[in-house]
Amino acid sequence: MTDRTFFRLRFPIAAALPFETSHGQLSVCELSEGGLRILCDTESGLHVGQTVQGTIVLSSGERIDVKGLAVRREKDELVITQAEGVTFQHMMNEQRNLVHRFPKGIASTPPATDPSN
């Protein structure tokens, strides 16, 4: 088991947060204080090794600017680390929102990507 520095919050497709970039609007499928995972295909113009910046629109409507490094691609997801901008309070608010929206649990919703791909 790997020790993680930050708690990660996974979002089902129905609750994915908008991520506005110069490459268009994408979706955040996982969020932490130290990084994020966005849904984007190889046609998005975002590549591993590139600095990525944009604005996440939280479920409350609050907008937070983030900047980080794209470190790997997993299918149609791009993992961004060393991200600045997301706080512990943002994480707790988003977790409360998910529990409220999905009282039976996120496991009862489809995953952000199809695991059979």
Side-chain angles (χ1 to χ4, degrees), residues 15-51:
L17 300 174
F19 183 54
E20 300 167 351
T21 73
S22 60
H23 297 274
Q25 182 168 306
L26 304 169
S27 296
V28 175
C29 59
E30 191 173 274
L31 186 64
S32 80
E33 292 172 76
L36 59 150
R37 185 181 292 250
I38 57 175
L39 295 173
C40 69
D41 58 26
T42 55
E43 304 298 316
S44 69
L46 296 174
H47 305 285
V48 172
Q50 169 180 8
T51 297

Side-chain angles (χ1 to χ4, degrees), residues 32-77:
S32 80
E33 292 172 76
L36 59 150
R37 185 181 292 250
I38 57 175
L39 295 173
C40 69
D41 58 26
T42 55
E43 304 298 316
S44 69
L46 296 174
H47 305 285
V48 172
Q50 169 180 8
T51 297
V52 177
Q53 59 186 31
T55 302
I56 299 173
V57 182
L58 301 175
S59 59
S60 65
E62 180 181 355
R63 301 168 65 84
I64 52 173
D65 294 329
V66 295
K67 180 179 179 180
L69 179 66
V71 294
R72 75 178 174 278
R73 178 175 291 284
E74 294 177 3
K75 298 183 184 176
D76 284 344
E77 298 178 348

